[in-house]
Amino acid sequence: MSLLAELDLEARPLLGAALATLALGVAVALGSRGGRWLDPALLGYLLATLFACFGVAYRYVSWIERPATRMYFRHTLRTLLSPRVFRALPKMALLALDQILLQRFIEKRSIKRWGAHALLAWGCLLGFAVTIPLVFGWVRFTSEGLDATRYQAWVLGFPAGSFPLDSFIAFCSFHILDLAAAMVIAGCVLSLIRRKQDEGDTATQRFDLDLLPLVLLIAVSMTGLMLTASEKWLQGRNFATLAFLHELTVILLLLGLPFGKLFHVVQRPAQLGVTIYKAEGEAEGRLACKGCGAPFIRANQRRDLGELWKVLELDGARHSASVHHLDLCPRCKRRLVAKAQGDRLHGAFDPFATIPVHAEPIPDPTSLKA
């Protein structure tokens, strides 16, 4: 048994994860001028981020390797690398605004769910947008020369403007993470309240998948706000201890990112390609069911599902030489299930006996034997 098999690892996702982490390391080295601008106090965050990158990339490549996901992924790549991209990009931009920024697909389910999800998503994105460039050494702040009353911002080694410490820009720069923390805490509280009130969520939720990410997000945000409180109102008392606790919670969150429910943040952009795929299928038209004649499946979806079933060794699911199981609509499939059950019970159960079905159940010697 090979080492990869013993560790339950796959070669292609492992290679993809290694290349993604290497690329990120190179980007960090270039952006921080060979590491000279890296803050030693943030090295723990940097190492945890690199680990999270490896884990996220490994799981993402493994997800793409699944036959059904690979079908959508390849179609999206073909669209982006073809002349059709000029027609698809405006629509993808609108979809990104609707589904990723505004997240209206959640609003259709519940306003309360949408509010909680929006606060969590935008708060986390704002926090990562600020902290990742700082951790990577891409952004830093220094005094403007010998003037200790003004800050100089640097981006990738180039000056990006200066501002006085008592200005509105300085206030926003120093407290933007506090705003992100407040948004995340509010989103987590709303999520916990909704999960407590929703009987369906209460019955199906798991601590490790549903509650632990919320607990970690609250811990990260609370310790971050406590750092500001220590510096602002407590003259820096216990700042070192709070900084250690904050770093610990952030590292735990980053280490759990590839394995928990927060991974769907990485998966969500792929939905844009699926939406384009569905739109192209609707434009091509729907095929009729070979049982009842009602249009039910997009032509491109039928072709790709046929190829997918061959990969999964399911192509033998045929009702006759001309009728594949994929050629029947859900209603006709349910009728055939009932008919097969009636045959098994020797006619004692057939609620659709008076409804004609232009197909026969797939022969199953195991279930039909006497």
Side-chain angles (χ1 to χ4, degrees):
M1 180 181 294
S2 66
L3 179 61
L4 293 181
E6 187 175 349
L7 296 176
D8 197 21
L9 296 174
E10 301 176 26
R12 293 182 64 176
L14 193 64
L15 177 61
L19 291 176
T21 307
L22 178 62
L24 180 60
V26 172
V28 171
L30 293 176
S32 62
R33 298 299 179 92
R36 291 194 300 272
W37 285 10
L38 292 176
D39 189 341
L42 303 179
L43 288 181
Y45 298 101
L46 175 60
L47 294 176
T49 304
L50 291 174
F51 178 88
C53 173
F54 184 90
V56 167
Y58 180 90
R59 185 175 174 185
Y60 194 83
V61 175
S62 298
W63 177 60
I64 291 176
E65 288 291 304
R66 298 176 183 176
T69 312
R70 185 168 61 243
M71 179 183 70
Y72 284 120
F73 188 76
R74 287 178 175 175
H75 180 273
T76 304
L77 285 182
R78 285 196 299 266
T79 300
L80 294 177
L81 298 178
S82 68
R84 292 180 297 169
V85 68
F86 298 105
R87 298 195 306 269
L89 280 180
K91 186 169 185 178
M92 293 183 73
L94 292 176
L95 288 172
L97 175 65
D98 181 75
Q99 298 188 12
I100 296 179
L101 293 180
L102 300 180
Q103 301 179 7
R104 295 185 59 213
F105 66 97
I106 300 178
E107 179 188 4
K108 297 176 182 178
R109 300 175 62 184
S110 166
I111 293 294
K112 188 182 298 184
R113 185 188 294 266
W114 174 82
H117 201 281
L119 287 170
L120 280 171
W122 297 336
C124 289
L125 289 176
L126 180 61
F128 279 118
V130 174
T131 55
I132 285 181
L134 292 172
V135 169
F136 290 173
W138 296 347
V139 174
R140 68 167 181 163
F141 297 91
T142 62
S143 298
E144 188 178 26
L146 299 177
D147 188 356
T149 64
R150 294 184 64 87
Y151 256 29
Q152 173 69 55
W154 301 82
V155 177
L156 299 177
F158 300 98
S162 62
F163 50 86
L165 294 181
D166 56 353
S167 65
F168 178 74
I169 295 178
F171 178 84
C172 293
S173 300
F174 298 151
H175 294 284
I176 189 171
L177 287 178
D178 296 330
L179 173 62
M183 294 172 64
V184 170
I185 291 174
C188 289
V189 170
L190 288 176
S191 295
L192 291 173
I193 293 175
R194 184 186 58 78
R195 288 188 172 278
K196 182 67 176 177
Q197 296 175 345
D198 192 310
E199 295 181 356
D201 286 339
T202 303
T204 58
Q205 68 186 4
R206 290 173 47 182
F207 177 78
D208 55 340
L209 290 180
D210 301 299
L211 299 181
L212 183 58
L214 297 176
V215 172
L216 283 175
L217 287 172
I218 291 176
V220 169
S221 303
M222 288 297 298
T223 53
L225 290 176
M226 291 167 67
L227 286 174
T228 300
S230 173
E231 183 272 332
K232 194 76 174 176
W233 298 302
L234 302 178
Q235 293 77 47
R237 287 196 294 269
N238 298 320
F239 190 89
T241 302
L242 293 173
F244 173 78
L245 289 176
H246 182 65
E247 182 176 5
L248 178 62
T249 56
V250 172
I251 289 175
L252 289 175
L253 180 67
L254 290 173
L255 295 183
L257 182 62
F259 311 106
K261 195 171 185 179
L262 294 177
F263 180 73
H264 78 278
V265 176
V266 184
Q267 293 176 304
R268 186 63 201 175
Q271 184 66 27
L272 303 181
V274 176
T275 306
I276 295 294
Y277 176 84
K278 291 180 178 179
E280 292 181 355
E282 293 293 348
E284 188 175 353
R286 292 185 175 237
L287 299 179
C289 170
K290 291 189 177 181
C292 63
F296 79 104
I297 190 171
R298 295 182 297 272
N300 63 345
Q301 184 183 14
R302 174 62 183 88
R303 290 193 301 269
D304 291 335
L305 281 176
E307 295 299 323
L308 176 62
W309 278 40
K310 290 179 182 179
V311 173
L312 299 177
E313 298 180 354
L314 297 173
D315 197 48
R318 295 180 176 274
H319 299 273
S320 65
S322 60
V323 180
H324 194 282
H325 192 65
L326 294 172
D327 296 326
L328 299 177
C329 67
R331 187 182 182 191
C332 288
K333 290 175 183 176
R334 290 193 295 269
R335 291 178 182 177
L336 289 177
V337 169
K339 187 173 183 178
Q341 185 71 2
D343 292 341
R344 184 182 181 187
L345 298 177
H346 306 290
F349 176 78
D350 191 359
F352 301 106
T354 61
I355 301 177
V357 181
H358 305 288
E360 292 295 326
I362 298 175
D364 185 354
T366 302
S367 61
L368 295 180
K369 67 182 180 180

